[in-house]
Amino acid sequence: MFNGLIREIGKIKSFANNKLTIISNLKPSIGDSIAVNGVCLTVTKTYPNAFEVELSPETQKIIPLENYQAGKNVHLEEALRFGDKIDGHLIQGHIDAIGEILEIKKTKNSYDVIIKTDPKIMKYIAPKGSIAIDGVSLTINEVFSDRFRLTIIPHTFENTLFKEYRVLRKVNIETDMFARYIYHMFKKTPDNMNEQILAWW
């Protein structure tokens, strides 16, 4: 589990034979979980100033691989430990869909970012709910049929890769896991029981 607070910006050294080598000051051990642009991956090898993870075929199918090429910067976050403070929200590192940045607009004291994604996941996205974009925990401000708007404070913008992002950039999206679980439970509930639950609520 992660909480969407980026601990370091790493740099891709190489990506070959399904192995991703990342230059980093982090000191993980073999077997540790690390979120790389929000994707939970397992450390398979360590070096003095780098570590290696392996991307399964399934993972490669659901992420924008152009963001994992040599020379690219990536968000890094080590897994939470029991007792750690959760400042963002609970994140599994399981990507739901790829998004595309449509607009980045500077306002008086923040940045508005509009991201388009697969309409199939919009049912998990709610105004003022939580979402992870490339592993960054953010709050949703406005929701449309196939896109949503985020408002990002300058500190987050300047201390993450958002300061490098441009329109049409592809990003990893993980929706709030509680929204997914609740939707899944209600989907399997008989319609008459759903009506009773909604009436009670």
Side-chain angles (χ1 to χ4, degrees), residues 92-152:
Q92 294 175 300
H94 302 162
I95 304 306
D96 294 304
I98 293 173
E100 181 178 80
I101 296 177
L102 297 183
E103 183 178 342
I104 302 174
K105 181 181 178 181
K106 192 177 189 310
T107 62
K108 185 176 180 180
N109 63 342
S110 60
Y111 296 84
D112 276 356
V113 178
I114 294 177
I115 299 176
K116 181 178 180 179
T117 190
D118 187 343
K120 292 179 181 178
I121 72 163
M122 294 303 297
K123 56 182 171 283
Y124 308 129
I125 299 175
K128 306 308 176 187
S130 296
I131 198 164
I133 304 298
D134 274 349
V136 182
S137 175
L138 296 166
T139 301
I140 303 153
N141 270 338
E142 199 170 4
V143 177
F144 307 96
S145 60
D146 65 348
R147 63 200 65 190
F148 53 91
R149 178 174 64 86
L150 307 167
T151 298
I152 303 175

Side-chain angles (χ1 to χ4, degrees), residues 53-124:
V53 293
E54 185 167 2
L55 276 66
S56 70
E58 178 65 24
T59 297
Q60 294 184 52
K61 283 193 305 184
I62 62 173
I63 63 173
L65 290 176
E66 64 267 27
N67 296 341
Y68 293 84
Q69 302 305 310
K72 295 286 188 179
N73 292 328
V74 289
H75 292 140
L76 299 177
E77 182 188 355
E78 295 179 289
L80 292 170
R81 294 175 173 83
F82 281 109
D84 284 352
K85 185 169 67 170
I86 300 173
D87 289 317
H89 72 283
L90 288 175
I91 295 169
Q92 294 175 300
H94 302 162
I95 304 306
D96 294 304
I98 293 173
E100 181 178 80
I101 296 177
L102 297 183
E103 183 178 342
I104 302 174
K105 181 181 178 181
K106 192 177 189 310
T107 62
K108 185 176 180 180
N109 63 342
S110 60
Y111 296 84
D112 276 356
V113 178
I114 294 177
I115 299 176
K116 181 178 180 179
T117 190
D118 187 343
K120 292 179 181 178
I121 72 163
M122 294 303 297
K123 56 182 171 283
Y124 308 129

